[in-house]
Amino acid sequence: MSVSVEGLGHSESLYKSVCDFFPGKRILTICDESSRIKTPDAKRTKRSIDLGYFSTYKMILNGTPIALGVHDLWSQFQFLDPNIIGTGDYWAFKTRYLVMGGFENRQIVGVQRMPELMQAINPYTIEVGKEVLDLPPKVMIERSFEITPEQRKLMRQVIRGASVDADAPVVKVENALEKVLRCRQIVNGWMPVAKGESETEMVPLDVNPKMDTLLDVIDENFAGTKFVIWANWRHEIAAIRDKLISIYGADAVECYYGETAMSDRSRIEDRYCNDKTMRFFVGNPASAGLGLTLISGETDVMIYYAGTNAYIERAQSEDRSHRLGQKRSVSIIDIIGEKTVDEVIAASIKNKASIEEFVLENIRAGKSLESMLLGE
């Protein structure tokens, strides 16, 4: 029996069918991509752990089991056997191994007793390096472009919170992380406009050099190539889709993101791998960056139109085409606006950190947000 971990949390009938499968059998349960059960209070985590109790044998498989920190380990090893870590519930685990602080003592600010924790899990852990797959190398490429004066003006307005134009439409923000978000949207080709008191409308800019650079990269590499294009938001995915359809036709493009119907997801994956008429897979790493195989048999080129929010999303999404079965080198191209937040995102990925963690760490170290986001 094969089921999705997400399905266990959403579907009562699916969970019941799995429970009905267990009685009277000696069961081996394998939890693939086990970081998906890292959140202790999530229904899918609790149900997965319950199924583990009734399994004769258990395994977890993951390339990045500690995606955000050691706190990710508790649920995964609780599924395997509560006696491995042996703290009991998650709150006891937090007390022993995590240092809490921040607002109402809810933020993880450090770790403790790490040698003890690593010694506990080590006998139950096998690490296999990716070199055993004998894959051709990744080719990492940065493709830079210069933003327009309008974009730089809009970013200054967002960051500094002031404008000589009293009627300037761009949304005003004070929070540092929201400023990062708005600058990302501007660099990617949209102006965030306040709509009412709580809504924000994304208005496409008349000139979008990042989109122009994407199309140039595609044109330069088109012959014998299929493209996996990563973007973050629905409006970006829709804009890229529409632009590609206008040039290459509707059959050449498929989109895979949060609103893609479950019934279409396997079909889209299969089309990319086997249908020569499909040339472009446009997706969101949060939805399509885990578990899929995107190997076409032709040259696979992966383009990050926008950088990912977290290192885990980047590491997993890169491996959709760079995995078992790949016979050719995979080019991974980052489209980066010069002297913009894109450079900050690239630096955060190299430091294996989320963009939020990286920015806040640099602010605490005395670097100004303005210098980071404007490259000044």
Side-chain angles (χ1 to χ4, degrees):
M1 171 177 280
S2 178
V3 298
S4 70
V5 169
E6 290 82 357
L8 292 178
H10 295 302
S11 172
E12 296 293 331
S13 61
L14 176 62
Y15 179 58
K16 182 178 184 303
S17 70
V18 177
C19 292
D20 291 343
F21 181 76
F22 271 63
K25 301 183 181 72
R26 291 168 60 82
I27 299 290
L28 164 63
T29 302
I30 301 173
C31 183
D32 193 16
E33 303 293 359
S34 57
S35 62
R36 289 294 181 96
I37 62 167
K38 66 188 179 186
T39 307
D41 292 332
K43 184 182 290 186
R44 65 188 180 193
T45 298
K46 294 178 179 178
R47 288 179 170 179
S48 297
I49 291 172
D50 287 345
L51 294 174
Y53 290 145
F54 295 98
S55 302
T56 313
Y57 308 99
K58 289 160 282 186
M59 295 176 64
I60 58 175
L61 305 177
N62 206 297
T64 49
I66 305 179
L68 298 177
V70 295
H71 56 283
D72 290 346
L73 290 176
W74 183 83
S75 296
Q76 298 174 71
F77 279 89
Q78 189 76 0
F79 164 81
L80 280 181
D81 188 333
N83 295 313
I84 293 176
I85 293 179
T87 56
D89 62 21
Y90 177 64
W91 309 111
F93 174 87
K94 284 175 61 177
T95 299
R96 186 155 190 83
Y97 296 115
L98 304 179
V99 179
M100 308 303 293
F103 178 68
E104 295 185 349
N105 214 38
R106 295 180 180 180
Q107 182 181 353
I108 299 171
V109 297
V111 295
Q112 58 189 358
R113 300 187 180 94
M114 285 301 98
E116 176 186 297
L117 179 59
M118 294 302 108
Q119 185 177 2
I121 69 173
N122 184 60
Y124 305 92
T125 305
I126 299 174
E127 182 177 356
V128 181
K130 201 171 180 181
E131 64 272 6
V132 301
L133 300 179
D134 194 26
L135 293 173
K138 297 177 184 177
V139 180
M140 311 300 294
I141 301 169
E142 290 188 356
R143 183 66 175 266
S144 298
F145 68 93
E146 186 177 350
I147 64 171
T148 67
E150 179 188 11
Q151 287 174 304
R152 193 157 295 279
K153 175 183 175 182
L154 291 172
M155 286 195 298
R156 286 197 179 100
Q157 184 179 328
V158 164
I159 296 166
R160 297 171 181 172
S163 172
V164 295
D165 181 3
D167 298 319
V170 68
V171 67
K172 308 290 196 305
V173 292
E174 296 297 332
N175 179 278
L177 295 181
E178 189 174 358
K179 289 180 180 181
V180 172
L181 168 67
R182 299 308 179 192
C183 285
R184 293 176 72 184
Q185 292 167 337
I186 292 168
V187 172
N188 292 350
W190 279 266
M191 178 170 61
V193 176
K195 188 178 180 182
E197 293 185 2
S198 59
E199 294 185 25
T200 302
E201 181 181 0
M202 304 309 301
V203 177
L205 297 173
D206 293 335
V207 179
N208 184 352
K210 179 171 274 195
M211 185 71 75
D212 295 339
T213 304
L214 171 67
L215 297 177
D216 287 343
V217 169
I218 291 170
D219 185 61
E220 293 164 8
N221 296 274
F222 188 75
T225 299
K226 285 196 173 188
F227 298 87
V228 177
I229 302 171
W230 297 114
N232 285 323
W233 295 289
R234 287 176 293 176
H235 63 270
E236 289 179 352
I237 293 172
I240 293 169
R241 176 201 63 204
D242 293 346
K243 183 67 72 171
L244 293 175
I245 286 175
S246 71
I247 300 171
Y248 300 100
D251 288 343
V253 187
E254 293 277 9
C255 295
Y256 193 122
Y257 60 110
E259 294 185 3
T260 302
M262 289 295 178
S263 57
D264 283 336
R265 296 189 178 198
S266 293
R267 177 188 63 80
I268 293 171
E269 181 182 11
D270 181 70
R271 275 203 73 203
Y272 181 87
C273 295
N274 300 301
D275 186 346
K276 291 186 178 297
T277 65
M278 179 182 168
R279 311 309 298 175
F280 305 98
F281 177 103
V282 185
N284 180 324
S287 300
L290 196 66
L292 299 187
T293 295
L294 300 174
I295 300 173
S296 67
E298 301 182 49
T299 299
D300 297 300
V301 171
M302 190 169 286
I303 304 174
Y304 286 86
Y305 181 85
T308 57
N309 295 319
Y311 171 74
I312 178 64
E313 291 182 352
R314 175 60 182 245
Q316 290 281 7
S317 59
E318 281 186 13
D319 285 349
R320 295 316 94 214
S321 294
H322 194 252
R323 59 193 293 119
L324 188 64
Q326 181 60 263
K327 304 299 183 185
R328 307 185 185 198
S329 294
V330 177
S331 293
I332 298 175
I333 304 174
D334 287 280
I335 300 178
I336 297 177
E338 295 176 346
K339 297 183 178 181
T340 72
V341 65
D342 283 352
E343 295 182 340
V344 180
I345 295 172
S348 72
I349 296 300
K350 290 174 183 176
N351 282 271
K352 298 185 178 181
S354 71
I355 178 65
E356 290 87 357
E357 292 171 333
F358 187 79
V359 167
L360 292 177
E361 182 178 336
N362 275 273
I363 290 175
R364 286 193 290 266
K367 197 166 186 178
S368 74
L369 183 66
E370 183 171 331
S371 67
M372 284 189 283
L373 299 185
L374 293 175
E376 297 175 347

